[in-house]
Amino acid sequence: MTSSTTPTTPSHMQAARISRFGAARDVFEVAHDAPVPTPGKGEVLVRQHATSVNPIDCRRRGGYGQKLMKLRGLSGFPLTLGNDVAGDVVATGPEVTTLKVGDAVFGAQRPSPQGTTAEYCVVNADDLVAKPAGLSYREAAALPYAFLSAWAALKAAGLRADEAAGKRVFLQGGSGGTGVVTVQICKALGAYVATTAGPAGIDLCKGLGADEVINYRTQDFADELRDFDFAICLADQAEERKMLSILRRGPGAGYATIVHPLMPLVDEKGLLVGGVQAAATLIGRRLRQALRRRRYGWTLFGPDRAALELLARLAAEGKVRAVIDQTYPLADIAAAHEYVERGRSKGKVVVDIT
Ligand SMILES: NC(=O)c1ccc[n+]([C@@H]2O[C@H](COP(=O)([O-])OP(=O)(O)OC[C@H]3O[C@@H](n4cnc5c(N)ncnc54)[C@H](OP(=O)(O)O)[C@@H]3O)[C@@H](O)[C@H]2O)c1
């Protein structure tokens, strides 16, 4: 199949870019003359209507993950951050069969120096699905990266969508960007969900359907909970021991975390020393949990079409809704980053690119 494009696609666009690492106010520029990228084989060009800011964007703006990005050929300036995609397909590259020009789509772009905080972005067609009609672009932008990140951990811990009903799932940090969508998906799949939140996030988590919400500022969840099948760290790895203490022993139980020392170790000590130290730590902890016949994992965001389709289906059925804390225009990208960096978001921070 050959490529196709809309005749109105311009050659230049607005894009939030950085040309060095540093504080949001110091390094962001919203360029008006950034080149519109061209989709390659299997890729599409999306006219973005919204994206979101994830904590990883703030960290990458500060230089986090550079050694791994360099290794993968993904470093260099100018750098446009962002992963969440919510927009319309305006061009398709060769061999794209699943999407066509005019399709409204959402999904998450793989790490790239030409990210999604721009009017146009190139995305692998397999990483996008049709945006449910009942979901606005802003709402759609609030869901994929956060959910796919948390879902990777749930999978590593051993949860399967078709076996989730009746499972007891503990999600640490239910009020954050990853927590708000994951609480809802686990509930929609029939799991029993307990979560932790600060005082300002308690009612939010209850409203999302969580069966138990524990105020982490005043109560110790390890005193309240026991016999969970899965425990997932979405906020603070310092509580790992406590999360393991509420897990039942035996096959089918597991712990996984999206907050772990892999990237910090590689950044600090280099690929070889940092990588080996991270691997040794991970293997040791895995073995300790294997003795209790439990899974243990550290996970990173990655594309997962089946999970994205699950998210789209549950959103279309009204079982998952976007929780948006703040929305900023593209011109205020530095303020959006500063807000996310404070770590107090209740749900997601969205960037409007209409
Ligand atoms: N490995 C990966 O690929 C991957 C992918 C996505 C995210 N992450 C990481 O995962 C973490 C969460 O991401 P996010 O987008 O959900 O962040 P976020 O939206 O910034 O999370 C903020 C929320 O976390 C709550 N929180 C903070 N500490 C808590 C604790 N000890 N217990 C319970 N709740 C707590 C805060 O509540 P209060 O304001 O009440 O304290 C706030 O509502 C970040 O560190 C992020 O970098 C990793």
Side-chain angles (χ1 to χ4, degrees):
M1 201 166 171
T2 54
S3 50
S4 70
T5 187
T6 50
T8 51
T9 305
S11 56
H12 291 87
M13 64 173 181
Q14 284 191 64
R17 304 195 300 194
I18 62 169
S19 295
R20 62 194 162 92
F21 298 124
R25 294 274 157 194
D26 298 338
V27 298
F28 267 120
E29 66 148 347
V30 179
H32 288 255
D33 57 353
V36 172
T38 307
K41 199 166 93 177
E43 296 175 334
V44 297
L45 179 68
V46 176
R47 167 61 172 97
Q48 280 280 78
H49 291 301
T51 189
S52 86
V53 178
N54 289 287
I56 185 74
D57 301 321
C58 305
R59 300 211 172 111
R60 281 182 68 199
R61 194 196 67 236
Y64 176 84
Q66 266 313 288
K67 295 212 165 82
L68 279 181
M69 294 302 270
K70 234 179 222 163
L71 186 75
R72 297 170 65 188
L74 299 174
S75 60
F77 294 115
L79 170 63
T80 294
L81 298 159
N83 295 82
D84 280 308
V85 181
D88 301 319
V89 174
V90 292
T92 58
E95 297 182 22
V96 172
T97 53
T98 51
L99 295 172
K100 59 182 188 319
V101 169
D103 285 349
V105 292
F106 82 128
Q109 187 200 50
R110 298 164 197 221
S112 161
Q114 291 188 302
T116 64
T117 317
E119 286 182 302
Y120 294 87
C121 63
V122 161
V123 191
N124 192 320
D126 289 341
D127 299 340
L128 297 172
V129 291
K131 179 182 75 63
L135 215 56
S136 70
Y137 289 104
R138 289 183 188 183
E139 290 168 333
L143 295 168
Y145 182 87
F147 173 64
L148 294 176
S149 301
W151 189 251
L154 278 158
K155 270 171 65 173
L159 184 90
R160 287 180 39 171
D162 56 352
E163 293 175 354
K167 292 287 192 307
R168 289 166 60 77
V169 180
F170 172 70
L171 300 170
Q172 180 215 38
S175 64
T178 53
V180 289
V181 56
T182 313
V183 166
Q184 295 178 80
I185 298 250
C186 289
K187 282 307 299 169
L189 294 174
Y192 179 92
V193 175
T195 190
T196 46
I202 304 267
D203 286 345
L204 171 65
C205 292
K206 283 184 182 159
L208 297 173
D211 299 283
E212 283 182 84
V213 186
I214 292 169
N215 181 342
Y216 82 91
R217 298 275 175 86
T218 57
Q219 282 169 284
D220 186 345
F221 67 82
D223 292 338
E224 313 282 330
L225 307 174
R226 62 173 64 86
D227 286 337
F228 274 72
D229 297 296
F230 304 107
I232 307 297
C233 171
L234 302 176
D236 184 0
Q237 57 181 316
E239 293 185 334
E240 177 167 312
R241 200 180 282 269
K242 289 203 283 185
M243 284 183 261
L244 291 169
S245 78
I246 67 165
L247 271 188
R248 69 170 172 80
R249 291 186 181 218
Y255 167 88
T257 178
I258 65 171
V259 189
H260 50 73
L262 172 61
M263 295 276 251
L265 276 172
V266 170
D267 276 342
E268 191 194 326
K269 302 189 173 176
L271 273 173
L272 190 63
V273 177
V276 167
Q277 196 174 323
T281 306
L282 177 60
I283 289 167
R285 293 185 193 181
R286 258 199 192 139
L287 281 174
R288 271 200 294 283
Q289 293 312 309
L291 291 174
R292 295 166 175 81
R293 292 179 296 150
R294 308 193 293 211
R295 287 174 180 246
Y296 179 95
W298 293 352
T299 58
L300 292 169
F301 158 78
D304 181 340
R305 188 161 182 90
L308 189 59
E309 284 170 350
L310 172 71
L311 173 68
R313 178 171 63 78
L314 294 174
E317 290 170 357
K319 293 179 178 158
V320 172
R321 65 178 175 90
V323 178
I324 297 175
D325 181 329
Q326 301 288 328
T327 302
Y328 293 86
L330 183 62
D332 289 345
I333 185 67
H337 266 235
E338 286 174 348
Y339 189 84
V340 171
E341 216 157 18
R342 283 182 216 129
R344 302 274 78 89
S345 307
K346 303 292 167 282
K348 293 287 303 180
V349 172
V350 164
V351 179
D352 187 9
I353 318 182
T354 46

